[in-house]
């Protein structure tokens, strides 16, 4: 049983982000992942939408706004380490027909149909008005995951894929080692960042919430002066995320069906109908892909961050719909805690102790 300095359990978006942040602070890090390809980060849409999400003023909105502000510098660092473009695009997000609470000091204003279509022509005739959030943004989540993995490899972090952590061995309030499909693994510190699969390893109330998504592509003749859709549309029943390469991501269902696999006819039909209703020009697009993933949902749909019942195991899970958005700030505050035991205010707000975890 070889001892490591820090073991990250989970090779998804959070695990990779935290590992990279720890390595940049001089720590020796090993990642154990059951299946890198199954991570929720691959299945997201990449919206950075703390305001368009309609989050009420409070700790969650504050955390999301902090992370959105950190994104440009984080992306620059990541692209520098990996040599790969991650598709960060501060395109703004429009929320048609959305009666949503707005954060204090938000730049958003309610706009009628004419005002919205002056910014984004082509909205469906059922749109009465909505909010425009110019500071919200997006990132290509798949490109982000590729860049994160490349950066992790470039910096020499050990990544062990295909390792299933079966149980945590403890003595009193201390983790002594991990029992895995690859034998026993030991470290001084552990970080649990296994997303929707967390409850299989530790007594944490995180459940999978399945989301179905699909991708469309504009026909070539749709591009005259740029693609017809130039901002994210966050509707009341759908979101539509245009990429700069002409793809359009449409999502997502939210299904409490455990780890049920596959796209369903009903799920895809709902996404297509709602998307075309909101932006009718999508009816001419080619359907190029469907997929699904599992969001890690807690009972209050807020993340679990910081200390656990064991003194050397830190929790970073349960990010639900906001994993991509919260990656930079999660990496920072978890690294602060693991390396220096410096407790960001978010660790109190999102402690697992609120569930007895």
């Amino acid at each position: 049983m070889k001892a490591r300095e820090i073991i990250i359990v989970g090779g998804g978006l959070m695990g990779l982000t935290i590992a990279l942040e720890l390595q940049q602070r001089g720590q020796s890090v090993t990642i154990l992942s059951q299946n890198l390809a199954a991570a929720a980060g691959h299945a997201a849409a990449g919206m950075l939408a703390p305001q368009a999400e309609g989050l009420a003023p409070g700790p969650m909105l504050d955390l999301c706004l902090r992370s959105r502000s950190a994104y440009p510098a984080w992306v620059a660092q990541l692209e520098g380490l990996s040599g790969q473009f991650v598709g960060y695009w501060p395109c703004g997000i429009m929320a048609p027909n959305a009666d949503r609470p707005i954060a204090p000091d938000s730049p958003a204003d309610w706009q009628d149909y004419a005002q919205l279509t002056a910014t984004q022509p082509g909205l469906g005739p059922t749109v009465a008005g909505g909010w425009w959030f110019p500071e919200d943004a997006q990132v290509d989540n798949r490109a982000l995951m590729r860049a994160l993995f490349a950066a992790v490899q470039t910096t020499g972090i050990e990544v062990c894929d295909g390792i299933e952590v079966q149980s945590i061995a403890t003595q009193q309030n201390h983790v002594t080692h991990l029992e895995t499909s690859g034998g026993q693994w030991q470290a001084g510190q552990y970080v649990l960042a296994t997303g929707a699969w967390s409850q299989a390893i530790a007594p944490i109330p995180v459940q999978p919430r399945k989301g179905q998504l699909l991708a469309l592509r504009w026909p070539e003749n749709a591009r005259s002066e740029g693609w017809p859709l130039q901002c994210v549309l966050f509707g009341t029943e759908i979101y539509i995320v245009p990429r700069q390469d002409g793809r359009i991501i449409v999502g997502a269902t939210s299904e409490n069906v455990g780890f049920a696999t596959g796209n369903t006819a009903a799920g895809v039909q709902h996404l297509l109908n709602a998307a075309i209703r909101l932006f009718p020009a999508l009816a001419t697009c080619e359907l190029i892909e469907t997929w699904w993933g599992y969001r890690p949902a807690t009972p209050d749909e807020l993340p679990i961050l910081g200390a656990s019942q064991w003194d050397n195991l830190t929790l970073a899970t349960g990010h639900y719909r906001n994993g991509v958005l919260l990656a930079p700030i999660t990496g920072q505050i978890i690294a602060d805690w693991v390396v220096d035991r410096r407790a960001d205010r978010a660790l109190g707000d999102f402690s697992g102790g609120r569930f007895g975890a």
Side-chain angles (χ1 to χ4, degrees):
M1 181 167 59
K2 182 180 177 182
R4 268 78 173 172
E5 189 171 7
I6 302 173
I7 289 178
I8 310 290
V9 183
L13 176 62
M14 291 305 160
L16 294 172
T17 300
I18 294 165
L20 190 60
E21 186 70 27
L22 288 167
Q23 191 277 339
Q24 294 292 292
R25 301 188 190 199
Q27 304 299 301
S28 175
V29 185
T30 297
I31 296 173
L32 300 184
S33 175
Q34 182 176 349
N35 184 357
L36 288 167
H42 296 291
M47 290 187 299
L48 311 178
Q51 292 171 319
E53 282 270 9
L55 297 172
M60 184 59 174
L61 178 61
D62 292 345
L63 187 68
C64 290
L65 290 174
R66 289 171 62 192
S67 202
R68 188 188 66 182
S69 296
Y71 238 90
W74 185 61
V75 162
Q77 179 194 38
L78 185 57
E79 292 181 338
L81 288 170
S82 67
Q84 298 188 20
F85 178 62
V86 304
Y88 173 70
W89 184 14
C91 58
I93 297 182
M94 185 175 290
N97 288 342
D99 182 16
R100 301 176 186 274
I102 301 300
D105 304 319
S106 169
D109 292 309
W110 177 264
Q111 299 184 357
D112 62 22
Y113 180 82
Q115 291 171 306
L116 287 183
T117 54
T119 301
Q120 175 55 67
L123 297 173
T126 61
V127 173
W131 297 99
W132 167 238
F133 302 95
E135 295 186 3
D136 279 353
Q138 64 158 293
V139 66
D140 185 333
N141 55 288
R142 291 182 179 177
L144 176 66
M145 292 293 290
R146 291 193 296 267
L148 267 171
F149 188 66
V152 161
Q153 290 182 306
T154 299
T155 53
I157 294 170
E158 182 182 17
V159 181
C160 301
D161 196 18
I163 302 292
E164 179 186 359
V165 175
Q166 298 163 333
S167 64
I168 299 173
T170 63
Q171 187 172 18
Q172 296 180 341
N173 68 332
H174 192 78
V175 176
T176 58
H177 64 273
L178 304 175
E179 295 285 351
T180 82
S181 59
Q184 294 183 347
W185 293 71
Q186 186 179 50
Q189 293 285 331
Y190 305 84
V191 179
L192 185 64
T194 45
W197 294 266
S198 297
Q199 196 169 53
I201 301 172
I204 305 169
V206 177
Q207 299 287 340
R209 196 73 59 81
K210 180 181 173 183
Q212 299 185 52
L213 300 94
L214 58 85
L216 307 171
R217 185 182 297 280
W218 292 112
E220 283 300 318
N221 61 7
R223 183 172 189 172
S224 52
E225 298 179 4
W227 303 114
L229 184 59
Q230 289 292 312
C231 70
V232 175
L233 298 182
F234 197 117
T236 54
E237 55 181 340
I238 196 78
Y239 53 73
I240 304 170
V241 185
R243 300 287 197 231
Q244 291 169 302
D245 63 0
R247 290 180 300 136
I248 309 104
I249 312 303
V250 179
T253 64
S254 182
E255 305 168 48
N256 191 13
V257 292
F259 287 105
T261 61
N263 288 99
T264 64
V268 172
Q269 181 184 42
H270 168 75
L271 296 176
L272 286 172
N273 287 344
I276 293 169
R277 190 159 49 246
L278 183 56
F279 201 75
L282 295 179
T284 66
C285 289
E286 177 188 0
L287 175 62
I288 58 174
E289 186 182 2
T290 61
W291 69 97
W292 73 94
Y294 306 107
R295 304 181 186 97
T298 63
D300 59 8
E301 299 183 350
L302 301 177
I304 297 175
L305 303 173
S308 72
Q309 65 194 81
W310 301 291
D311 61 7
N312 60 338
L313 175 68
T314 299
L315 305 175
T317 186
H319 291 77
Y320 190 43
R321 295 168 58 99
N322 292 292
V324 174
L325 169 59
L326 289 174
I329 196 66
T330 298
Q332 292 173 22
I333 64 179
I334 294 300
D336 286 344
W337 174 251
V338 172
V339 176
D340 301 318
R341 282 299 186 261
R342 187 163 73 248
D344 186 278
R345 63 181 183 273
L347 298 189
D349 294 328
F350 302 106
S351 166
R354 70 186 191 275
F355 304 120

